[in-house]
Amino acid sequence: MLSKQQLCIVVFTTISGLTTSYLIGLPLILGFAIGFLALTIFSIRQGTDRRTMINAIKDGASRTQEVIWILVMVGLIIPTWTMSGTIPYLIEQGIQWIHPSYMTTLTFWFAALFSMMLGTSTGTLSAVGIPMMGVASLTGVPLPIMAGALVSGAFVGDRTSPFSSAHRLVADSTGTTVRAQYRYLMPTTGLALGSATIFFIIIDYIGNWQVPQSALQLDIYREHFVFSPWLVMPAVVLIAAILFRMKTRHAFMLSIAVAILVGSLLQDVSPLAWLQSMLHGYTNIALPALHTKGLLNMVELVLLIALAGSFNGILEQTRSLEPYMSALIGHNSSMPQATVRIGLFGLGLSAVSCTQTLPIMMSGRNVLPIWSQRFQQEHLSRVISDTALVFAAMIPWNMLAVLCATIVNVPVHQYIPYAIFLWSLPLWTFIVSIAKSARTHSASLATAQPKSDAS
């Protein structure tokens, strides 16, 4: 177990290293390695034997396998969808079906509905985000704005859908049921959806987006690809596989296989061209808007995620955070004060741990005994869902944010100002906590009033 001073040093070095690396353009793994090294040294000095440390590192890294698989699949699915003609075809269909005047508003709601069905932000961004970013590049919508609309919509389901693993993890961590949690999430869900809708309507009104004539014709795409309704099959297969609760990585693999089959038949792509595209990404001088990254571009991110998993493994093995949990919300704090403290704790954990899972679990399981003595545990579910769960997509080096940025091909710091659904939730949950606290106080006064009159 680390001392308070050691823990502060680990947190400071980790966040400083990551922030510095991100700002000056160095690989994030270099900045994160500084914090990892500090945590390892302090843990050994505090008595953790090396065998236990090695096991903690291995266990932590192994827990990131699913995320690593998804990242690898993203590195493969984007170039295969492009090479097969699926993305160009979906871009053409998107331009025809989505009115450009309401481009970002409709995109937000389109992504939100898909994410509620799929229950996954990465699956939604892959199925909806990839083609819509192509539409944005042709219709004049700034890519960060479109990315913000897509990420906002994708996290509607990631946070709220009963099919979402993160949604269920919050319920498990706070000792409540999905049904009860869903009811308590409705106020802030409605407020955040309303805020995002109004925001994107204003953006669309100011932007006054117009589709260029060249984009409507897409003659240059048709010169390089054979268009056919069969090109929607990779996207349909991906959506169907996730709806039937197939593992995400298996759904991606199946979609990639279908894209290769359809592309080989329609576009006459050779095996060597498929291999080169999957490794290095799709490039075509005549179609710069379709350039993508490949599998080899994901190596650095895979290493970062594995290292972040090892970091979390050491934190859990040494139980370095547990002694400080009881003081987190205090014994005399009001619900608004406790809401702020838990939100800040979730933000700090999201920044240090680089995961979405650990902040949810730590904010739930460790705070629950103290919280439940004074407040309803369903409100703790609301606070965690509106803070720790969504913060993961707002921190540039968090694994989930890295995945989102990779899929939409827009840096995190560029799409965050427009992902209003994410950063409005902490504000709305604080306001709801104030309202709940005020109602509770009024009810207690009303109950005590007859007693004082009788005396």
Side-chain angles (χ1 to χ4, degrees), residues 159-170:
R159 166 192 173 274
T160 317
S161 172
F163 306 122
S164 167
S165 59
H167 180 78
R168 292 182 175 272
L169 180 61
V170 173

Side-chain angles (χ1 to χ4, degrees), residues 17-23 25-33 300-301 304 307 396-398 402:
L18 286 167
T19 304
T20 302
S21 298
Y22 187 81
L23 292 177
L26 291 175
L28 290 176
I29 192 171
L30 296 179
F32 192 75
E300 177 191 330
L301 299 180
L304 173 65
L307 188 63
W397 49 81
N398 192 285
V402 168

Side-chain angles (χ1 to χ4, degrees), residues 197-211:
T197 302
I198 293 171
F199 176 81
F200 289 120
I201 287 175
I202 294 173
I203 288 290
D204 285 333
Y205 178 78
I206 296 174
N208 191 25
W209 321 118
Q210 300 293 331
V211 182

Side-chain angles (χ1 to χ4, degrees), residues 108 111-116 119-122 124-125 147-161 164 166-167 189 192-193 356 360 385-395 398-405 415-416 419-423 425:
F108 165 69
L113 293 174
F114 256 87
S115 66
M116 287 298 295
T120 166
S121 55
T122 53
T124 299
L125 288 176
L150 286 165
V151 174
S152 289
F155 268 82
V156 173
D158 196 79
R159 166 192 173 274
T160 317
S161 172
S164 167
H167 180 78
T189 302
L193 284 173
Q356 184 188 47
I360 291 174
S385 296
D386 294 341
T387 55
L389 190 154
V390 297
F391 283 150
M394 302 169 68
I395 297 172
N398 192 285
M399 289 188 286
L400 191 54
V402 168
L403 280 173
C404 294
Y415 74 64
I416 281 301
I420 188 170
F421 182 80
L422 300 183
W423 54 261
L425 280 169

Side-chain angles (χ1 to χ4, degrees), residues 92-110:
E92 181 193 54
Q93 296 302 306
I95 290 175
Q96 293 179 3
W97 286 98
I98 295 181
H99 197 287
S101 299
Y102 308 102
M103 181 68 70
T104 63
T105 307
L106 294 176
T107 296
F108 165 69
W109 275 101
F110 189 40

Side-chain angles (χ1 to χ4, degrees), residues 117-318:
M117 289 191 298
L118 302 181
T120 166
S121 55
T122 53
T124 299
L125 288 176
S126 298
V128 177
I130 296 173
M132 288 311 301
M133 290 302 294
V135 173
S137 67
L138 294 175
T139 56
V141 179
L143 297 185
I145 295 178
M146 180 61 83
L150 286 165
V151 174
S152 289
F155 268 82
V156 173
D158 196 79
R159 166 192 173 274
T160 317
S161 172
F163 306 122
S164 167
S165 59
H167 180 78
R168 292 182 175 272
L169 180 61
V170 173
D172 292 339
S173 300
T174 55
T176 186
T177 64
V178 171
R179 183 185 296 271
Q181 176 176 278
Y182 198 81
R183 182 162 54 90
Y184 278 76
L185 291 181
M186 285 301 97
T188 52
T189 302
L191 290 167
L193 284 173
S195 300
T197 302
I198 293 171
F199 176 81
F200 289 120
I201 287 175
I202 294 173
I203 288 290
D204 285 333
Y205 178 78
I206 296 174
N208 191 25
W209 321 118
Q210 300 293 331
V211 182
Q213 190 64 27
S214 58
L216 288 173
Q217 296 173 351
L218 289 179
D219 290 338
I220 192 169
Y221 280 12
R222 293 180 176 274
E223 292 175 4
H224 293 81
F225 299 98
V226 176
F227 278 7
S228 165
W230 286 104
L231 291 174
V232 303
M233 287 306 299
V236 171
V237 167
L238 176 64
I239 295 167
I242 295 176
L243 280 174
F244 281 102
R245 302 301 149 215
M246 183 180 290
K247 281 190 174 181
T248 305
R249 67 170 182 257
H250 295 157
F252 274 70
M253 289 179 184
L254 186 59
S255 177
I256 290 169
V258 172
I260 292 174
L261 176 62
V262 173
S264 298
L265 293 174
L266 292 178
Q267 317 301 344
D268 195 25
V269 180
S270 67
L272 182 61
W274 281 120
L275 180 61
Q276 184 176 0
S277 175
M278 287 189 288
L279 290 177
H280 302 283
Y282 177 85
T283 55
N284 189 324
I285 298 176
L287 304 172
L290 295 180
H291 287 187
T292 68
K293 295 179 180 179
L295 180 61
L296 295 181
N297 300 106
M298 303 298 168
V299 173
E300 177 191 330
L301 299 180
V302 167
L303 294 176
L304 173 65
I305 289 171
L307 188 63
S310 298
F311 187 96
N312 294 333
I314 297 175
L315 280 179
E316 293 180 3
Q317 179 64 43
T318 57

